Amino acid sequence: MTAGMAFGKSAPDASPYAGEEPYGTPVVHKKAGLTRRGKMAIAVAGVAIVGGGTIWFQVHSAAVAKDEKEAAALQIQMKKLELEEMRIRNEQASREEKAAAASAEKIQAAVDKCVKDSFGLIGKGYGSPSRSDVVADCKQQYETADGSGMRAAGNAQDATNEGGGEISSPVLLGLVAGGGLAIAMFARKGKKADA
């Protein structure tokens, strides 16, 4: 034995913290990645996202299909209303046409009677009316008595008044609002210039 050992010194105790290598125990690196619990959480979240997306898509598709059906039904309803309006207009036009034809027949009958009654005056001397003058006078007398001439004049008056010089209420409101805004801006500029 050696001299150091003789005095009661034994081999140094192996410390649990002392490494076998000169730089200490080697650090064991864990494998990179998720734990089993993390992998399960990601799998559950993925299934939830895919399932939720599928359900949302089905609900959205059903809503779109419902909206398309409602739009188609609305278009059909609009077409029905347009056809009904056209039918009513056609009926009204045919009634007006029948009334105009009846009125024209009455006028023609009255003109014929007037011409027949005035036929004895034609060519009976100097200054007597000619046949065309009698016909023209009778036509003028009975056509204006019917009132159709007044209707024509009224329609012409309405046609000339369309789109006249009136100012509509939205335009008037816009003009007033614009004028008020301009006055407010000028008043504000005046206050800044005075200050």
Side-chain angles (χ1 to χ4, degrees):
M1 289 209 142
T2 60
M5 294 196 124
F7 295 107
K9 291 192 175 186
S10 63
D13 291 335
S15 170
Y17 301 107
E20 297 174 3
E21 296 183 8
Y23 299 109
T25 55
V27 178
V28 178
H29 293 287
K30 291 186 176 182
K31 194 175 186 181
L34 296 174
T35 62
R36 184 177 185 141
R37 180 184 258 175
K39 289 178 183 178
M40 288 298 291
I42 288 178
V44 168
V47 168
I49 290 172
V50 169
T54 303
I55 292 171
W56 174 84
F57 180 74
Q58 289 174 349
V59 169
H60 177 70
S61 297
V64 167
K66 181 181 175 188
D67 290 343
E68 288 175 355
K69 285 180 184 177
E70 288 176 357
L74 184 62
Q75 283 181 344
I76 290 171
Q77 189 68 22
M78 287 176 63
K79 292 290 184 185
K80 285 181 182 178
L81 289 174
E82 287 176 5
L83 290 173
E84 184 67 22
E85 183 181 358
M86 286 175 70
R87 186 186 61 78
I88 290 171
R89 284 185 182 176
N90 288 339
E91 286 177 1
Q92 184 179 5
S94 67
R95 281 194 306 262
E96 289 175 357
E97 191 175 306
K98 287 177 184 177
S103 175
E105 287 175 7
K106 286 179 185 177
I107 291 172
Q108 187 62 41
V111 169
D112 289 344
K113 184 176 184 295
C114 176
V115 169
K116 189 176 185 181
D117 291 344
S118 302
F119 192 70
L121 300 174
I122 298 173
K124 291 288 185 186
Y126 185 72
S128 63
S130 66
R131 181 179 168 93
S132 61
D133 291 339
V134 169
V135 172
D137 286 342
C138 288
K139 278 187 177 180
Q140 183 180 9
Q141 178 183 358
Y142 286 104
E143 284 180 356
T144 55
D146 178 58
S148 58
M150 296 300 283
R151 278 194 301 249
N155 290 341
Q157 179 74 18
D158 291 342
T160 58
N161 283 343
E162 284 183 15
E166 292 183 4
I167 297 177
S168 63
S169 59
V171 172
L172 183 62
L173 181 64
L175 288 173
V176 170
L181 183 62
I183 290 171
M185 288 178 58
F186 285 123
R188 193 169 188 188
K189 284 186 179 180
K191 284 183 182 178
K192 286 183 181 178
D194 290 342

